[in-house]
Amino acid sequence: METAEGICLERNPYLDLGKSFNCGQAFRFEPEADGYAGVVGDLVLRIREEPDRYVFRGLDTARFESVVRPFLDLDRDYAAAERTFLSDPVLAQAAQYGRGIRILRQDPFETLITFIFSQNNNIPRIRGMVRRLCEGFGAPLGGGRYAFPSARTLAGLAVEDLAPVRAGFRAKYAVDAARRVCDGSVPLSQLASLPYPQARALLMTIRGVGAKVADCVLLFGAGRLEAFPVDVWVKRACARFYPGEQTPDFGPYAGLAQQYLFHYIRGLSA
């Protein structure tokens, strides 16, 4: 519903912004006193949390529908997706614990660079790298927020130019990725439509991009829910809950299963 404040969206168990922004899939949203703020494309998005609704401040219906709805994956039936996990007791418990997580649909190039930065790293440090990258090379959007730099901008840099980002060995991979996107050898626009093995192999032609980063890009940047990124937390979950097995096949919602397991094992380890 559109009001003078912005767009109001009724809260429900399958939309938890706190869980969605803090489960390792996005690095540009931060808590504010009454909600969250971050950047989606060229939109500075500020969201107030109330007991029964979210208020997306300053947005009209057109902007909400074109940017926020796809970003939050609001057209997917997460209750139906969760029901497919009921036959697996562990995953059913993880899904109940993580209920409200949504697979954010992010810009593919931004997702590629942020997950290159994620290698051998932790969430606070990744957030810092991404913030410094945007402040140094992104267009200002007002209020101290910046757009993510374009592939062309990063492709035109030398690795040394990224020293202020403090990305370490990852800087050379980020520049290589940007150049390969710009020269057309890695067409990100095709990631959503190529057969999954082909899309994954294409991303892995980029220096420094292995299976985990490729799967993160496919899941969070191309909406490929069959992708199942395996990081250190998911390895721990699989070792603990599925000992002696290879990575289980969670079917068409494998990426959602990954997020539930990631969130669940981190919660148990806290």
mmCIF file with all atom_site columns, all heavy atoms in Angstrom, residues 67-87:
data_model
loop_
_atom_site.group_PDB
_atom_site.id
_atom_site.type_symbol
_atom_site.label_atom_id
_atom_site.label_alt_id
_atom_site.label_comp_id
_atom_site.label_asym_id
_atom_site.label_entity_id
_atom_site.label_seq_id
_atom_site.pdbx_PDB_ins_code
_atom_site.Cartn_x
_atom_site.Cartn_y
_atom_site.Cartn_z
_atom_site.occupancy
_atom_site.B_iso_or_equiv
_atom_site.pdbx_formal_charge
_atom_site.auth_seq_id
_atom_site.auth_comp_id
_atom_site.auth_asym_id
_atom_site.auth_atom_id
_atom_site.pdbx_PDB_model_num
ATOM 1   N N   . VAL A 1 67 ? 11.953 -2.343  -8.523 1.00 0.00 ? 67 VAL A N   1
ATOM 2   C CA  . VAL A 1 67 ? 13.239 -2.579  -7.858 1.00 0.00 ? 67 VAL A CA  1
ATOM 3   C C   . VAL A 1 67 ? 13.105 -3.490  -6.656 1.00 0.00 ? 67 VAL A C   1
ATOM 4   O O   . VAL A 1 67 ? 13.782 -4.516  -6.550 1.00 0.00 ? 67 VAL A O   1
ATOM 5   C CB  . VAL A 1 67 ? 13.892 -1.233  -7.435 1.00 0.00 ? 67 VAL A CB  1
ATOM 6   C CG1 . VAL A 1 67 ? 15.207 -1.485  -6.692 1.00 0.00 ? 67 VAL A CG1 1
ATOM 7   C CG2 . VAL A 1 67 ? 14.138 -0.339  -8.640 1.00 0.00 ? 67 VAL A CG2 1
ATOM 8   N N   . VAL A 1 68 ? 12.247 -3.143  -5.724 1.00 0.00 ? 68 VAL A N   1
ATOM 9   C CA  . VAL A 1 68 ? 12.203 -3.842  -4.442 1.00 0.00 ? 68 VAL A CA  1
ATOM 10  C C   . VAL A 1 68 ? 11.550 -5.213  -4.557 1.00 0.00 ? 68 VAL A C   1
ATOM 11  O O   . VAL A 1 68 ? 12.026 -6.190  -3.970 1.00 0.00 ? 68 VAL A O   1
ATOM 12  C CB  . VAL A 1 68 ? 11.498 -2.979  -3.382 1.00 0.00 ? 68 VAL A CB  1
ATOM 13  C CG1 . VAL A 1 68 ? 11.418 -3.728  -2.047 1.00 0.00 ? 68 VAL A CG1 1
ATOM 14  C CG2 . VAL A 1 68 ? 12.229 -1.657  -3.198 1.00 0.00 ? 68 VAL A CG2 1
ATOM 15  N N   . ARG A 1 69 ? 10.466 -5.303  -5.304 1.00 0.00 ? 69 ARG A N   1
ATOM 16  C CA  . ARG A 1 69 ? 9.783  -6.601  -5.414 1.00 0.00 ? 69 ARG A CA  1
ATOM 17  C C   . ARG A 1 69 ? 10.719 -7.689  -5.951 1.00 0.00 ? 69 ARG A C   1
ATOM 18  O O   . ARG A 1 69 ? 10.823 -8.760  -5.353 1.00 0.00 ? 69 ARG A O   1
ATOM 19  C CB  . ARG A 1 69 ? 8.515  -6.484  -6.266 1.00 0.00 ? 69 ARG A CB  1
ATOM 20  C CG  . ARG A 1 69 ? 7.781  -7.812  -6.437 1.00 0.00 ? 69 ARG A CG  1
ATOM 21  C CD  . ARG A 1 69 ? 6.441  -7.633  -7.111 1.00 0.00 ? 69 ARG A CD  1
ATOM 22  N NE  . ARG A 1 69 ? 5.506  -6.929  -6.262 1.00 0.00 ? 69 ARG A NE  1
ATOM 23  C CZ  . ARG A 1 69 ? 4.808  -7.489  -5.283 1.00 0.00 ? 69 ARG A CZ  1
ATOM 24  N NH1 . ARG A 1 69 ? 4.950  -8.796  -5.024 1.00 0.00 ? 69 ARG A NH1 1
ATOM 25  N NH2 . ARG A 1 69 ? 3.987  -6.786  -4.551 1.00 0.00 ? 69 ARG A NH2 1
ATOM 26  N N   . PRO A 1 70 ? 11.416 -7.462  -7.078 1.00 0.00 ? 70 PRO A N   1
ATOM 27  C CA  . PRO A 1 70 ? 12.339 -8.518  -7.525 1.00 0.00 ? 70 PRO A CA  1
ATOM 28  C C   . PRO A 1 70 ? 13.511 -8.717  -6.575 1.00 0.00 ? 70 PRO A C   1
ATOM 29  O O   . PRO A 1 70 ? 13.957 -9.846  -6.374 1.00 0.00 ? 70 PRO A O   1
ATOM 30  C CB  . PRO A 1 70 ? 12.793 -8.042  -8.908 1.00 0.00 ? 70 PRO A CB  1
ATOM 31  C CG  . PRO A 1 70 ? 12.474 -6.592  -8.965 1.00 0.00 ? 70 PRO A CG  1
ATOM 32  C CD  . PRO A 1 70 ? 11.292 -6.386  -8.082 1.00 0.00 ? 70 PRO A CD  1
ATOM 33  N N   . PHE A 1 71 ? 14.030 -7.640  -5.978 1.00 0.00 ? 71 PHE A N   1
ATOM 34  C CA  . PHE A 1 71 ? 15.167 -7.764  -5.067 1.00 0.00 ? 71 PHE A CA  1
ATOM 35  C C   . PHE A 1 71 ? 14.836 -8.678  -3.886 1.00 0.00 ? 71 PHE A C   1
ATOM 36  O O   . PHE A 1 71 ? 15.642 -9.522  -3.485 1.00 0.00 ? 71 PHE A O   1
ATOM 37  C CB  . PHE A 1 71 ? 15.577 -6.381  -4.571 1.00 0.00 ? 71 PHE A CB  1
ATOM 38  C CG  . PHE A 1 71 ? 16.672 -6.389  -3.533 1.00 0.00 ? 71 PHE A CG  1
ATOM 39  C CD1 . PHE A 1 71 ? 17.956 -6.790  -3.855 1.00 0.00 ? 71 PHE A CD1 1
ATOM 40  C CD2 . PHE A 1 71 ? 16.417 -5.978  -2.229 1.00 0.00 ? 71 PHE A CD2 1
ATOM 41  C CE1 . PHE A 1 71 ? 18.969 -6.805  -2.899 1.00 0.00 ? 71 PHE A CE1 1
ATOM 42  C CE2 . PHE A 1 71 ? 17.409 -5.981  -1.274 1.00 0.00 ? 71 PHE A CE2 1
ATOM 43  C CZ  . PHE A 1 71 ? 18.694 -6.396  -1.612 1.00 0.00 ? 71 PHE A CZ  1
ATOM 44  N N   . LEU A 1 72 ? 13.647 -8.528  -3.335 1.00 0.00 ? 72 LEU A N   1
ATOM 45  C CA  . LEU A 1 72 ? 13.231 -9.340  -2.187 1.00 0.00 ? 72 LEU A CA  1
ATOM 46  C C   . LEU A 1 72 ? 12.547 -10.650 -2.599 1.00 0.00 ? 72 LEU A C   1
ATOM 47  O O   . LEU A 1 72 ? 12.100 -11.397 -1.730 1.00 0.00 ? 72 LEU A O   1
ATOM 48  C CB  . LEU A 1 72 ? 12.295 -8.539  -1.276 1.00 0.00 ? 72 LEU A CB  1
ATOM 49  C CG  . LEU A 1 72 ? 12.909 -7.340  -0.564 1.00 0.00 ? 72 LEU A CG  1
ATOM 50  C CD1 . LEU A 1 72 ? 11.849 -6.607  0.268  1.00 0.00 ? 72 LEU A CD1 1
ATOM 51  C CD2 . LEU A 1 72 ? 14.073 -7.750  0.333  1.00 0.00 ? 72 LEU A CD2 1
ATOM 52  N N   . ASP A 1 73 ? 12.483 -10.914 -3.886 1.00 0.00 ? 73 ASP A N   1
ATOM 53  C CA  . ASP A 1 73 ? 11.902 -12.171 -4.379 1.00 0.00 ? 73 ASP A CA  1
ATOM 54  C C   . ASP A 1 73 ? 10.480 -12.358 -3.859 1.00 0.00 ? 73 ASP A C   1
ATOM 55  O O   . ASP A 1 73 ? 10.089 -13.453 -3.442 1.00 0.00 ? 73 ASP A O   1
ATOM 56  C CB  . ASP A 1 73 ? 12.799 -13.348 -3.963 1.00 0.00 ? 73 ASP A CB  1
ATOM 57  C CG  . ASP A 1 73 ? 12.577 -14.598 -4.786 1.00 0.00 ? 73 ASP A CG  1
ATOM 58  O OD1 . ASP A 1 73 ? 12.151 -14.477 -5.943 1.00 0.00 ? 73 ASP A OD1 1
ATOM 59  O OD2 . ASP A 1 73 ? 12.848 -15.706 -4.270 1.00 0.00 ? 73 ASP A OD2 1
ATOM 60  N N   . LEU A 1 74 ? 9.698  -11.290 -3.907 1.00 0.00 ? 74 LEU A N   1
ATOM 61  C CA  . LEU A 1 74 ? 8.388  -11.298 -3.260 1.00 0.00 ? 74 LEU A CA  1
ATOM 62  C C   . LEU A 1 74 ? 7.344  -12.128 -3.993 1.00 0.00 ? 74 LEU A C   1
ATOM 63  O O   . LEU A 1 74 ? 6.293  -12.426 -3.427 1.00 0.00 ? 74 LEU A O   1
ATOM 64  C CB  . LEU A 1 74 ? 7.877  -9.864  -3.086 1.00 0.00 ? 74 LEU A CB  1
ATOM 65  C CG  . LEU A 1 74 ? 8.654  -9.009  -2.082 1.00 0.00 ? 74 LEU A CG  1
ATOM 66  C CD1 . LEU A 1 74 ? 8.058  -7.602  -2.012 1.00 0.00 ? 74 LEU A CD1 1
ATOM 67  C CD2 . LEU A 1 74 ? 8.662  -9.644  -0.692 1.00 0.00 ? 74 LEU A CD2 1
ATOM 68  N N   . ASP A 1 75 ? 7.615  -12.502 -5.231 1.00 0.00 ? 75 ASP A N   1
ATOM 69  C CA  . ASP A 1 75 ? 6.621  -13.271 -5.985 1.00 0.00 ? 75 ASP A CA  1
ATOM 70  C C   . ASP A 1 75 ? 6.766  -14.783 -5.801 1.00 0.00 ? 75 ASP A C   1
ATOM 71  O O   . ASP A 1 75 ? 5.981  -15.547 -6.362 1.00 0.00 ? 75 ASP A O   1
ATOM 72  C CB  . ASP A 1 75 ? 6.701  -12.923 -7.473 1.00 0.00 ? 75 ASP A CB  1
ATOM 73  C CG  . ASP A 1 75 ? 6.219  -11.505 -7.757 1.00 0.00 ? 75 ASP A CG  1
ATOM 74  O OD1 . ASP A 1 75 ? 5.310  -11.045 -7.040 1.00 0.00 ? 75 ASP A OD1 1
ATOM 75  O OD2 . ASP A 1 75 ? 6.761  -10.857 -8.671 1.00 0.00 ? 75 ASP A OD2 1
ATOM 76  N N   . ARG A 1 76 ? 7.755  -15.204 -5.023 1.00 0.00 ? 76 ARG A N   1
ATOM 77  C CA  . ARG A 1 76 ? 7.950  -16.638 -4.808 1.00 0.00 ? 76 ARG A CA  1
ATOM 78  C C   . ARG A 1 76 ? 7.181  -17.107 -3.574 1.00 0.00 ? 76 ARG A C   1
ATOM 79  O O   . ARG A 1 76 ? 7.142  -16.419 -2.551 1.00 0.00 ? 76 ARG A O   1
ATOM 80  C CB  . ARG A 1 76 ? 9.432  -16.967 -4.640 1.00 0.00 ? 76 ARG A CB  1
ATOM 81  C CG  . ARG A 1 76 ? 9.724  -18.477 -4.694 1.00 0.00 ? 76 ARG A CG  1
ATOM 82  C CD  . ARG A 1 76 ? 11.198 -18.776 -4.478 1.00 0.00 ? 76 ARG A CD  1
ATOM 83  N NE  . ARG A 1 76 ? 12.054 -18.040 -5.389 1.00 0.00 ? 76 ARG A NE  1
ATOM 84  C CZ  . ARG A 1 76 ? 12.321 -18.396 -6.634 1.00 0.00 ? 76 ARG A CZ  1
ATOM 85  N NH1 . ARG A 1 76 ? 11.773 -19.497 -7.134 1.00 0.00 ? 76 ARG A NH1 1
ATOM 86  N NH2 . ARG A 1 76 ? 13.124 -17.665 -7.387 1.00 0.00 ? 76 ARG A NH2 1
ATOM 87  N N   . ASP A 1 77 ? 6.591  -18.278 -3.653 1.00 0.00 ? 77 ASP A N   1
ATOM 88  C CA  . ASP A 1 77 ? 5.842  -18.867 -2.534 1.00 0.00 ? 77 ASP A CA  1
ATOM 89  C C   . ASP A 1 77 ? 6.826  -19.653 -1.657 1.00 0.00 ? 77 ASP A C   1
ATOM 90  O O   . ASP A 1 77 ? 7.130  -20.818 -1.939 1.00 0.00 ? 77 ASP A O   1
ATOM 91  C CB  . ASP A 1 77 ? 4.729  -19.765 -3.073 1.00 0.00 ? 77 ASP A CB  1
ATOM 92  C CG  . ASP A 1 77 ? 3.828  -20.304 -1.965 1.00 0.00 ? 77 ASP A CG  1
ATOM 93  O OD1 . ASP A 1 77 ? 4.210  -20.229 -0.778 1.00 0.00 ? 77 ASP A OD1 1
ATOM 94  O OD2 . ASP A 1 77 ? 2.748  -20.826 -2.302 1.00 0.00 ? 77 ASP A OD2 1
ATOM 95  N N   . TYR A 1 78 ? 7.316  -19.003 -0.614 1.00 0.00 ? 78 TYR A N   1
ATOM 96  C CA  . TYR A 1 78 ? 8.298  -19.647 0.249  1.00 0.00 ? 78 TYR A CA  1
ATOM 97  C C   . TYR A 1 78 ? 7.674  -20.713 1.143  1.00 0.00 ? 78 TYR A C   1
ATOM 98  O O   . TYR A 1 78 ? 8.361  -21.651 1.553  1.00 0.00 ? 78 TYR A O   1
ATOM 99  C CB  . TYR A 1 78 ? 9.048  -18.603 1.085  1.00 0.00 ? 78 TYR A CB  1
ATOM 100 C CG  . TYR A 1 78 ? 10.199 -17.973 0.321  1.00 0.00 ? 78 TYR A CG  1
ATOM 101 C CD1 . TYR A 1 78 ? 9.968  -17.091 -0.722 1.00 0.00 ? 78 TYR A CD1 1
ATOM 102 C CD2 . TYR A 1 78 ? 11.516 -18.284 0.627  1.00 0.00 ? 78 TYR A CD2 1
ATOM 103 C CE1 . TYR A 1 78 ? 11.009 -16.528 -1.435 1.00 0.00 ? 78 TYR A CE1 1
ATOM 104 C CE2 . TYR A 1 78 ? 12.567 -17.734 -0.075 1.00 0.00 ? 78 TYR A CE2 1
ATOM 105 C CZ  . TYR A 1 78 ? 12.308 -16.857 -1.112 1.00 0.00 ? 78 TYR A CZ  1
ATOM 106 O OH  . TYR A 1 78 ? 13.348 -16.316 -1.820 1.00 0.00 ? 78 TYR A OH  1
ATOM 107 N N   . ALA A 1 79 ? 6.417  -20.588 1.451  1.00 0.00 ? 79 ALA A N   1
ATOM 108 C CA  . ALA A 1 79 ? 5.747  -21.638 2.221  1.00 0.00 ? 79 ALA A CA  1
ATOM 109 C C   . ALA A 1 79 ? 5.733  -22.939 1.421  1.00 0.00 ? 79 ALA A C   1
ATOM 110 O O   . ALA A 1 79 ? 5.998  -24.024 1.958  1.00 0.00 ? 79 ALA A O   1
ATOM 111 C CB  . ALA A 1 79 ? 4.336  -21.212 2.594  1.00 0.00 ? 79 ALA A CB  1
ATOM 112 N N   . ALA A 1 80 ? 5.435  -22.838 0.133  1.00 0.00 ? 80 ALA A N   1
ATOM 113 C CA  . ALA A 1 80 ? 5.430  -24.025 -0.715 1.00 0.00 ? 80 ALA A CA  1
ATOM 114 C C   . ALA A 1 80 ? 6.827  -24.601 -0.851 1.00 0.00 ? 80 ALA A C   1
ATOM 115 O O   . ALA A 1 80 ? 7.016  -25.827 -0.816 1.00 0.00 ? 80 ALA A O   1
ATOM 116 C CB  . ALA A 1 80 ? 4.864  -23.680 -2.093 1.00 0.00 ? 80 ALA A CB  1
ATOM 117 N N   . ALA A 1 81 ? 7.821  -23.735 -1.001 1.00 0.00 ? 81 ALA A N   1
ATOM 118 C CA  . ALA A 1 81 ? 9.203  -24.216 -1.089 1.00 0.00 ? 81 ALA A CA  1
ATOM 119 C C   . ALA A 1 81 ? 9.600  -24.952 0.185  1.00 0.00 ? 81 ALA A C   1
ATOM 120 O O   . ALA A 1 81 ? 10.217 -26.032 0.135  1.00 0.00 ? 81 ALA A O   1
ATOM 121 C CB  . ALA A 1 81 ? 10.143 -23.043 -1.339 1.00 0.00 ? 81 ALA A CB  1
ATOM 122 N N   . GLU A 1 82 ? 9.218  -24.399 1.319  1.00 0.00 ? 82 GLU A N   1
ATOM 123 C CA  . GLU A 1 82 ? 9.589  -25.013 2.597  1.00 0.00 ? 82 GLU A CA  1
ATOM 124 C C   . GLU A 1 82 ? 8.935  -26.386 2.768  1.00 0.00 ? 82 GLU A C   1
ATOM 125 O O   . GLU A 1 82 ? 9.517  -27.290 3.368  1.00 0.00 ? 82 GLU A O   1
ATOM 126 C CB  . GLU A 1 82 ? 9.182  -24.080 3.741  1.00 0.00 ? 82 GLU A CB  1
ATOM 127 C CG  . GLU A 1 82 ? 9.705  -24.493 5.089  1.00 0.00 ? 82 GLU A CG  1
ATOM 128 C CD  . GLU A 1 82 ? 9.348  -23.497 6.171  1.00 0.00 ? 82 GLU A CD  1
ATOM 129 O OE1 . GLU A 1 82 ? 9.622  -22.296 5.978  1.00 0.00 ? 82 GLU A OE1 1
ATOM 130 O OE2 . GLU A 1 82 ? 8.791  -23.928 7.207  1.00 0.00 ? 82 GLU A OE2 1
ATOM 131 N N   . ARG A 1 83 ? 7.749  -26.551 2.235  1.00 0.00 ? 83 ARG A N   1
ATOM 132 C CA  . ARG A 1 83 ? 7.055  -27.834 2.370  1.00 0.00 ? 83 ARG A CA  1
ATOM 133 C C   . ARG A 1 83 ? 7.821  -28.960 1.675  1.00 0.00 ? 83 ARG A C   1
ATOM 134 O O   . ARG A 1 83 ? 7.687  -30.129 2.054  1.00 0.00 ? 83 ARG A O   1
ATOM 135 C CB  . ARG A 1 83 ? 5.630  -27.739 1.837  1.00 0.00 ? 83 ARG A CB  1
ATOM 136 C CG  . ARG A 1 83 ? 4.679  -26.990 2.752  1.00 0.00 ? 83 ARG A CG  1
ATOM 137 C CD  . ARG A 1 83 ? 3.228  -27.222 2.387  1.00 0.00 ? 83 ARG A CD  1
ATOM 138 N NE  . ARG A 1 83 ? 2.873  -26.632 1.098  1.00 0.00 ? 83 ARG A NE  1
ATOM 139 C CZ  . ARG A 1 83 ? 2.448  -25.384 0.930  1.00 0.00 ? 83 ARG A CZ  1
ATOM 140 N NH1 . ARG A 1 83 ? 2.341  -24.581 1.977  1.00 0.00 ? 83 ARG A NH1 1
ATOM 141 N NH2 . ARG A 1 83 ? 2.117  -24.948 -0.265 1.00 0.00 ? 83 ARG A NH2 1
ATOM 142 N N   . THR A 1 84 ? 8.618  -28.634 0.678  1.00 0.00 ? 84 THR A N   1
ATOM 143 C CA  . THR A 1 84 ? 9.376  -29.680 -0.011 1.00 0.00 ? 84 THR A CA  1
ATOM 144 C C   . THR A 1 84 ? 10.494 -30.237 0.868  1.00 0.00 ? 84 THR A C   1
ATOM 145 O O   . THR A 1 84 ? 11.084 -31.267 0.528  1.00 0.00 ? 84 THR A O   1
ATOM 146 C CB  . THR A 1 84 ? 9.989  -29.147 -1.325 1.00 0.00 ? 84 THR A CB  1
ATOM 147 O OG1 . THR A 1 84 ? 11.012 -28.182 -1.034 1.00 0.00 ? 84 THR A OG1 1
ATOM 148 C CG2 . THR A 1 84 ? 8.930  -28.517 -2.210 1.00 0.00 ? 84 THR A CG2 1
ATOM 149 N N   . PHE A 1 85 ? 10.797 -29.576 1.997  1.00 0.00 ? 85 PHE A N   1
ATOM 150 C CA  . PHE A 1 85 ? 11.863 -30.031 2.895  1.00 0.00 ? 85 PHE A CA  1
ATOM 151 C C   . PHE A 1 85 ? 11.343 -30.882 4.056  1.00 0.00 ? 85 PHE A C   1
ATOM 152 O O   . PHE A 1 85 ? 12.133 -31.335 4.885  1.00 0.00 ? 85 PHE A O   1
ATOM 153 C CB  . PHE A 1 85 ? 12.607 -28.819 3.477  1.00 0.00 ? 85 PHE A CB  1
ATOM 154 C CG  . PHE A 1 85 ? 13.247 -27.922 2.451  1.00 0.00 ? 85 PHE A CG  1
ATOM 155 C CD1 . PHE A 1 85 ? 13.296 -26.551 2.650  1.00 0.00 ? 85 PHE A CD1 1
ATOM 156 C CD2 . PHE A 1 85 ? 13.793 -28.429 1.289  1.00 0.00 ? 85 PHE A CD2 1
ATOM 157 C CE1 . PHE A 1 85 ? 13.899 -25.711 1.716  1.00 0.00 ? 85 PHE A CE1 1
ATOM 158 C CE2 . PHE A 1 85 ? 14.389 -27.604 0.349  1.00 0.00 ? 85 PHE A CE2 1
ATOM 159 C CZ  . PHE A 1 85 ? 14.442 -26.236 0.568  1.00 0.00 ? 85 PHE A CZ  1
ATOM 160 N N   . LEU A 1 86 ? 10.041 -31.091 4.138  1.00 0.00 ? 86 LEU A N   1
ATOM 161 C CA  . LEU A 1 86 ? 9.476  -31.731 5.320  1.00 0.00 ? 86 LEU A CA  1
ATOM 162 C C   . LEU A 1 86 ? 9.921  -33.174 5.493  1.00 0.00 ? 86 LEU A C   1
ATOM 163 O O   . LEU A 1 86 ? 9.937  -33.698 6.612  1.00 0.00 ? 86 LEU A O   1
ATOM 164 C CB  . LEU A 1 86 ? 7.949  -31.659 5.269  1.00 0.00 ? 86 LEU A CB  1
ATOM 165 C CG  . LEU A 1 86 ? 7.340  -30.253 5.418  1.00 0.00 ? 86 LEU A CG  1
ATOM 166 C CD1 . LEU A 1 86 ? 5.819  -30.320 5.283  1.00 0.00 ? 86 LEU A CD1 1
ATOM 167 C CD2 . LEU A 1 86 ? 7.736  -29.627 6.752  1.00 0.00 ? 86 LEU A CD2 1
ATOM 168 N N   . SER A 1 87 ? 10.286 -33.840 4.408  1.00 0.00 ? 87 SER A N   1
ATOM 169 C CA  . SER A 1 87 ? 10.692 -35.242 4.523  1.00 0.00 ? 87 SER A CA  1
ATOM 170 C C   . SER A 1 87 ? 12.100 -35.401 5.094  1.00 0.00 ? 87 SER A C   1
ATOM 171 O O   . SER A 1 87 ? 12.510 -36.514 5.423  1.00 0.00 ? 87 SER A O   1
ATOM 172 C CB  . SER A 1 87 ? 10.624 -35.924 3.147  1.00 0.00 ? 87 SER A CB  1
ATOM 173 O OG  . SER A 1 87 ? 11.511 -35.289 2.235  1.00 0.00 ? 87 SER A OG  1
#
